[in-house]
Amino acid sequence: MTNQAFFQLPADLPLSLVVQALPADERLFFPSEQGPVLAASKALTRTGWPLVKGRRLARAANHQYRLYAPDLAFGQLAQLLAELPWSELRWRQGDVFELAFETEPDKGLYLERAQALGAELMAGPFPSLEEPGLLIMDMDSTAIEGECIDEIAELAGCGAAVAEVTARAMRGELDFAQSLVERVARLEGTPAEVLEKVAENIRHTPGIRGLVARLQQAGWQTALVSGGFTFFAHRVQEQLALDWAEANVLEVIDGKLTGRVLGQIVDGQYKLEMLKRLRDQAGFKRDQVLALGDGANDLKMLAEAGLGIAYHGKPKVRLAAKGAIVRHDMHAVLALLESVHD
């Protein structure tokens, strides 16, 4: 029996549209022997959407998650939840639902389904936008699209070799600091004006401006900590009006890159220490820290935050981080955090 047969509803209707057509106190699904079923609803009866009776599976709601599902069709709900120990699904607002589990669901399984169905699932507790906090995020492939060092290398004529090392470092296959030294060394002799060409083509991650602005409106501090370079990090800081930005410094002599990095390299440990420093000096609770990153060098930072989200992260990072955005952009992060509107 299909979901459509259970509810007598078109399977391709957006799930959020279906539940918002119901009275507020009836926007609730439970597991049953047949699959997900809506709580008894007079509205369904009135509109000719009869429910098939089935024995409800009673499960405790021990683990609270949020689901962002703008692309999830009504008929895909059973596919999303099959074999997961869920206990209830309740509409929160917009395209966001509260999803409770009796026991922790298999993360690898639900991340695969998130990829296939375009439904982001993330464990709580979530930071509150009713009090101040700290957003700290990576730059390349997180706050902006792409990797600046790869784009410099492309213009310098060594793009493929550098991009391969970058990808391996982000997957955690290489020591980040060592790989950075190796990649920057390949850039020796590159004219410094190449940096400006790359900077002119910086593309912000969709939704990042709105996320930063909303958090700042809520009294949050915002910071960028990058394994990339200050030339770009300070540009992004200015564009997004961020409070803090730290990154690596490329040495330039006589208008050319020397192939060296000046000072301490911003690696995973440096990112962790920056998070702690900013959090502690402002007196924020750990629960009020949101960290965003995509690479293995972000893992320590993501683990220390109250909510660390792997944004389009490498497989290792997705599995290790508390949260993961696998299909959508930064609009999903804001939707999951946003307070419920009356």
Side-chain angles (χ1 to χ4, degrees), residues 38-154:
L38 277 163
S41 171
K42 294 179 181 178
L44 288 179
T45 303
R46 287 197 304 269
T47 53
W49 297 344
L51 296 174
V52 171
K53 292 183 178 180
R55 186 172 69 85
R56 176 180 165 185
L57 302 178
R59 294 174 179 160
N62 294 326
H63 302 274
Q64 300 298 322
Y65 281 62
R66 286 183 191 167
L67 173 69
Y68 176 68
D71 304 323
L72 189 69
F74 184 64
Q76 295 175 310
L77 184 59
Q79 182 181 350
L80 175 70
L81 297 175
E83 302 174 18
L84 295 175
W86 70 286
S87 59
E88 66 177 50
L89 175 71
R90 185 183 300 272
W91 181 74
R92 178 177 170 83
Q93 64 184 359
D95 295 308
V96 180
F97 298 79
E98 303 281 5
L99 180 55
F101 292 90
E102 184 171 46
T103 59
E104 287 282 2
D106 181 276
K107 191 170 188 179
L109 180 60
Y110 74 68
L111 287 180
E112 286 180 7
R113 291 180 182 173
Q115 179 69 42
L117 301 174
E120 313 287 3
L121 187 60
M122 200 174 300
F126 289 79
S128 170
L129 298 191
E130 304 305 314
E131 58 182 290
L134 170 67
L135 166 66
I136 184 166
M137 56 184 171
D138 177 41
M139 181 176 68
D140 298 88
S141 299
T142 301
I144 66 174
E145 297 183 334
E147 299 282 338
C148 288
I149 191 170
D150 292 354
E151 295 180 30
I152 297 170
E154 185 67 29

Side-chain angles (χ1 to χ4, degrees), residues 30-330:
F30 294 113
S32 79
E33 292 171 325
Q34 293 96 343
V37 295
L38 277 163
S41 171
K42 294 179 181 178
L44 288 179
T45 303
R46 287 197 304 269
T47 53
W49 297 344
L51 296 174
V52 171
K53 292 183 178 180
R55 186 172 69 85
R56 176 180 165 185
L57 302 178
R59 294 174 179 160
N62 294 326
H63 302 274
Q64 300 298 322
Y65 281 62
R66 286 183 191 167
L67 173 69
Y68 176 68
D71 304 323
L72 189 69
F74 184 64
Q76 295 175 310
L77 184 59
Q79 182 181 350
L80 175 70
L81 297 175
E83 302 174 18
L84 295 175
W86 70 286
S87 59
E88 66 177 50
L89 175 71
R90 185 183 300 272
W91 181 74
R92 178 177 170 83
Q93 64 184 359
D95 295 308
V96 180
F97 298 79
E98 303 281 5
L99 180 55
F101 292 90
E102 184 171 46
T103 59
E104 287 282 2
D106 181 276
K107 191 170 188 179
L109 180 60
Y110 74 68
L111 287 180
E112 286 180 7
R113 291 180 182 173
Q115 179 69 42
L117 301 174
E120 313 287 3
L121 187 60
M122 200 174 300
F126 289 79
S128 170
L129 298 191
E130 304 305 314
E131 58 182 290
L134 170 67
L135 166 66
I136 184 166
M137 56 184 171
D138 177 41
M139 181 176 68
D140 298 88
S141 299
T142 301
I144 66 174
E145 297 183 334
E147 299 282 338
C148 288
I149 191 170
D150 292 354
E151 295 180 30
I152 297 170
E154 185 67 29
L155 294 175
C158 54
V162 168
E164 180 183 2
V165 176
T166 298
R168 293 185 63 195
M170 292 302 99
R171 292 195 299 266
E173 297 171 4
L174 300 173
D175 175 77
F176 179 82
Q178 180 180 343
S179 75
L180 183 68
V181 170
E182 176 185 336
R183 285 175 286 162
V184 172
R186 291 178 176 270
L187 304 178
E188 182 180 1
T190 301
E193 55 261 30
V194 166
L195 301 180
E196 186 59 40
K197 291 180 181 178
V198 172
E200 289 173 356
N201 292 318
I202 285 176
R203 301 176 307 280
H204 296 138
T205 299
I208 191 63
R209 284 185 178 274
L211 174 63
V212 169
R214 177 66 182 94
L215 293 178
Q216 290 174 336
Q217 181 186 41
W220 282 50
Q221 292 186 18
T222 53
L224 193 72
V225 56
S226 173
F229 308 114
T230 53
F231 190 91
F232 310 107
H234 291 161
R235 187 78 57 97
V236 174
Q237 178 187 15
E238 181 179 356
Q239 292 166 344
L240 298 180
L242 303 174
D243 298 299
W244 311 92
E246 293 195 26
N248 297 298
V249 180
L250 285 171
E251 184 180 54
V252 178
I253 296 178
D254 295 331
K256 294 184 179 181
L257 304 187
T258 66
R260 293 189 293 272
V261 176
L262 298 176
Q264 183 178 353
I265 289 178
V266 178
D267 58 6
Q269 185 62 33
Y270 190 105
K271 292 187 176 193
L272 171 63
E273 295 303 325
M274 182 173 172
L275 182 156
K276 290 180 177 179
R277 172 164 48 88
L278 295 180
R279 178 195 64 196
D280 295 347
Q281 73 184 20
F284 294 135
K285 297 180 292 186
R286 180 179 181 182
D287 290 348
Q288 286 298 106
V289 177
L290 169 66
L292 303 171
D294 71 298
N297 60 322
D298 296 311
L299 280 172
K300 292 181 180 180
M301 177 178 74
L302 297 180
E304 182 65 22
L307 179 59
I309 298 177
Y311 180 76
H312 294 189
K314 309 306 179 282
K316 173 183 177 180
V317 184
R318 291 181 186 179
L319 287 173
K322 182 177 182 181
I325 297 294
V326 299
R327 277 279 299 274
H328 296 92
D329 57 33
M330 290 294 179

